[in-house]
Amino acid sequence: MIELDDVCCSFAHEPVLRHVSCQIRKGETVLLTGPNGSGKTTLLRLLNGLVFPELGHYRFEGTEITAARMREHRYAKWFHQRLGYVWQNPDAQLFCASVEEELAFGPLQMGLADDDVRERVEDAIACFSLAPLRKRPPYHLSGGEKKRVALASIFTMNPAAWTLDEPENFLDAKGQEQLVAFLRALKAAGKTIIMTSHHPDIIRSLADRELRLSSDHSLVPSGAVQV
């Protein structure tokens, strides 16, 4: 489903990904780990077509993802329906006037019928216990509530692949338990999951394998990492 071939990326001439090669199969759950600054968030941004390799190739379901490809509106729209991104900080993801509108935004962009949009919104509200928050502006919510809304907003789009940047951030112990249960349900449904974490013990049991970036921004050889 996802293939990285000798990918290099830098910002302001400083390397942030160095000769990264890996494959992630459909339905696989991968935990991406590494020290601060090793390039985990950059790798997730690259997978979502927000930054692009300077060298090497990134292919999603057989199609190479480039800046030119992502400027093709029809393809970019399809791509972002197939691959969902839960940002590390929900403030970077949420922008609508109410929780209800936030949940409806993605399905409306997909061109779904109004009844289908309402059904997806109600399913997400029930799944993430958002009924008391549905009319509230996201910017008035707590960090944990914002994270639940961020997860729910991707849930309404039902992507085939989920990328999650430190999804346990802002959640209390109960919220983290609910997150693990939700991720288990995604895994059981055959979704592809790639996630980072600063608390990998919380979600390591979900992973089929671990990919670890080192401080020099390259992947640790797979045989050196055990899940």
Side-chain angles (χ1 to χ4, degrees):
M1 186 177 205
I2 289 171
E3 180 182 0
L4 300 177
D5 180 16
D6 201 32
V7 164
C8 297
C9 189
S10 65
F11 294 139
H13 307 294
E14 291 292 328
V16 287
L17 293 173
R18 193 191 296 268
H19 302 291
V20 172
S21 296
C22 67
Q23 292 187 355
I24 298 172
R25 298 181 297 276
K26 182 179 179 180
E28 191 172 21
T29 299
V30 174
L31 176 60
L32 180 63
T33 62
N36 286 342
S38 59
K40 301 185 298 297
T41 293
T42 298
L43 182 52
L44 291 187
R45 288 173 58 82
L46 185 142
L47 293 180
N48 282 276
L50 301 176
V51 299
F52 305 96
E54 296 177 11
L55 296 172
H57 306 278
Y58 163 38
R59 297 179 183 88
F60 179 77
E61 295 190 334
T63 297
E64 184 163 6
I65 304 304
T66 63
R69 192 61 158 157
M70 295 304 292
R71 285 194 294 269
E72 299 174 16
H73 176 74
R74 186 173 180 179
Y75 180 81
K77 182 177 179 180
W78 174 88
F79 174 84
H80 289 302
Q81 292 171 12
R82 292 286 290 165
L83 201 158
Y85 185 20
V86 179
W87 295 63
Q88 182 181 128
N89 185 345
D91 285 330
Q93 182 176 340
L94 306 176
F95 56 87
C96 291
S98 72
V99 167
E100 200 169 44
E101 291 177 40
E102 195 75 54
L103 303 186
F105 180 82
L108 287 170
Q109 294 302 304
M110 294 167 65
L112 297 183
D114 289 347
D115 287 348
D116 292 333
V117 172
R118 280 193 292 271
E119 182 178 356
R120 291 195 181 204
V121 169
E122 294 305 322
D123 285 348
I125 286 172
C127 181
F128 292 92
S129 303
L130 297 174
L133 309 178
R134 65 189 304 154
K135 299 298 184 182
R136 292 179 59 186
Y139 52 83
H140 284 171
L141 304 180
S142 70
E145 290 168 339
K146 289 177 183 177
K147 179 55 69 83
R148 284 159 49 207
V149 174
L151 287 161
S153 70
I154 302 303
F155 179 76
T156 58
M157 298 180 68
N158 192 29
W162 285 66
T163 54
L164 305 101
D165 197 355
E166 300 185 20
E168 77 283 4
N169 275 11
F170 302 100
L171 297 176
D172 59 17
K174 181 179 178 181
Q176 290 175 1
E177 290 178 5
Q178 292 171 335
L179 170 69
V180 170
F182 173 68
L183 292 173
R184 287 192 190 282
L186 285 184
K187 184 180 175 73
K191 303 296 186 181
T192 305
I193 304 170
I194 306 109
M195 52 189 169
T196 72
S197 177
H198 274 308
H199 307 91
D201 290 342
I202 295 171
I203 52 180
R204 181 173 274 124
S205 63
L206 297 165
D208 298 309
R209 62 190 173 103
E210 183 175 335
L211 294 175
R212 181 171 180 81
L213 285 164
S214 65
S215 57
D216 71 355
H217 314 290
S218 62
L219 279 179
V220 175
S222 58
V225 177
Q226 299 295 323
V227 174

